[in-house]
Amino acid sequence: MTYAVTAVSGQLGAEIARKLIALPGSTPVIGLARTPSKVTDLGIELRPGDYDKPEELQASLQGVDALVIVSGMAAPEDRIQQHRNVIEAARAAGVKKLVYTSIIGPEAGTRFSPVVQSNRQTEADIRASGLDWAIGRNGIYIEPDVEYIDSYKARGEIANSAGEGRCGYTTRSELAHAYAALLTRNELNGGTYDLNGTPITQDQLAGYLNRAFGTGLTYREMTAQDFVADRTAELGAFIGPIIGGIYEGIRQGIYDRPGDFEAVTGRPHQGWGDYLSTLRA
């Protein structure tokens, strides 16, 4: 078997590639990237992988048996066709199995829903591809909250519109472990799996961060409108409302689910106390 991962210039794609490289048996791993020259630390064969260039994709997928398609970052109306380009190129190149990194999220009624709907369309396209497939739906990354710790400290609080909703966070490392399993364990074929850890509230998140970083953060609930305005002012008119929509979904309970991580990987998802204690160490 020869495995390939798209978007290895990004954080999730690179982490999935690392997990595959570390598997026993020295199975060949190929990385695709829009600009392969930007990838300098994986030590694997790199090939061009621009989602907008179908012929390039087909050439780059020659000799690949199983492929992880990392969801693109374009606007929802564009990413559906981009993902179709990858699916069609894979089929034309003789790829036998597709694994897709989808997302958990509200499918209607929030500012994040158009992104979720585009992922659901790609899921449907993969199911209709005629190839073997497995689909993961990612929980919300917890790393941005960790990376934002200095801003939280400056404010003395975490403020957003999640309210009392519980969020099944995850990490890129845990997701990569799950996607390596989805790619290599054929008994998981034909399944769609929620990939998240134990759901927690924002108050609980503040407590974990306080223990890890010695802070005294509290949680303050904002209205959805105010939080979107806050995020838009900092992140811009595209990303700001998307982040706001994610927290609307948290408030609605969309991310409060047990998940399928252990069924996919054979072990429980890392606990948040354990994860954040490693950061403290």
Side-chain angles (χ1 to χ4, degrees):
M1 295 287 288
T2 296
Y3 300 134
V5 184
T6 69
V8 295
S9 57
Q11 294 182 76
L12 179 58
E15 194 63 26
I16 295 170
R18 291 187 187 100
K19 289 292 192 295
L20 291 171
I21 294 165
L23 293 176
S26 301
T27 300
V29 179
I30 295 169
L32 274 64
R34 184 168 57 184
T35 308
S37 61
K38 291 184 177 180
V39 184
T40 60
D41 60 345
L42 290 179
I44 59 174
E45 180 182 352
L46 299 170
R47 298 178 183 177
D50 190 324
Y51 288 3
D52 287 315
K53 297 180 178 179
E55 293 182 0
E56 177 183 274
L57 289 165
Q58 185 175 336
S60 291
L61 291 172
Q62 295 295 320
V64 171
D65 295 297
L67 171 68
V68 179
I69 303 174
V70 177
S71 188
M73 296 296 291
E77 61 271 20
D78 296 325
R79 72 172 71 187
I80 291 172
Q81 184 57 52
Q82 289 180 335
H83 294 160
R84 284 175 176 165
N85 290 342
V86 183
I87 294 166
E88 290 303 316
R91 185 161 54 187
V95 174
K96 299 178 181 65
K97 177 176 176 177
L98 301 176
V99 172
Y100 176 52
T101 72
S102 190
I103 49 174
I104 301 169
E107 297 179 11
T110 78
R111 296 167 181 86
F112 188 45
S113 296
V115 176
V116 178
Q117 291 165 5
S118 73
N119 280 47
R120 297 294 178 266
Q121 181 58 59
T122 295
E123 292 178 16
D125 291 340
I126 286 174
R127 293 187 188 102
S129 69
L131 306 178
D132 289 333
W133 57 270
I135 292 168
R137 290 180 176 174
N138 300 352
I140 300 302
Y141 295 153
I142 203 169
E143 289 97 335
D145 284 287
V146 174
E147 294 160 3
Y148 210 67
I149 190 65
D150 287 339
S151 294
Y152 287 153
K153 287 168 66 175
R155 298 180 180 185
E157 64 179 12
I158 298 172
N160 57 51
S161 60
E164 295 300 313
R166 296 199 304 165
C167 181
Y169 289 101
T170 188
T171 68
R172 293 184 184 93
S173 179
E174 290 289 78
L175 286 174
H177 187 70
Y179 282 112
L182 289 176
L183 195 67
T184 59
R185 293 180 59 191
N186 287 331
E187 67 269 25
L188 298 172
N189 288 3
T192 300
Y193 304 95
D194 291 337
L195 303 176
N196 58 271
T198 301
I200 58 174
T201 65
Q202 298 300 294
D203 277 323
Q204 289 174 308
L205 173 63
Y208 282 121
L209 292 174
N210 288 338
R211 288 189 288 276
F213 296 104
T215 50
L217 304 176
T218 57
Y219 172 63
R220 176 172 62 86
E221 182 178 353
M222 302 175 69
T223 67
Q225 182 176 355
D226 286 346
F227 185 57
V228 167
D230 177 82
R231 293 297 81 206
T232 299
E234 181 168 334
L235 302 173
F238 176 61
I239 295 296
I242 287 176
I243 300 300
I246 290 172
Y247 281 83
E248 288 179 80
I250 297 173
R251 180 196 292 267
Q252 294 171 7
I254 301 297
Y255 300 93
D256 187 2
R257 54 185 71 198
D260 304 304
F261 188 88
E262 186 168 4
V264 170
T265 65
R267 66 161 173 81
H269 191 287
Q270 185 178 26
W272 299 122
D274 290 342
Y275 169 70
L276 288 162
S277 70
T278 64
L279 302 182
R280 182 174 62 246

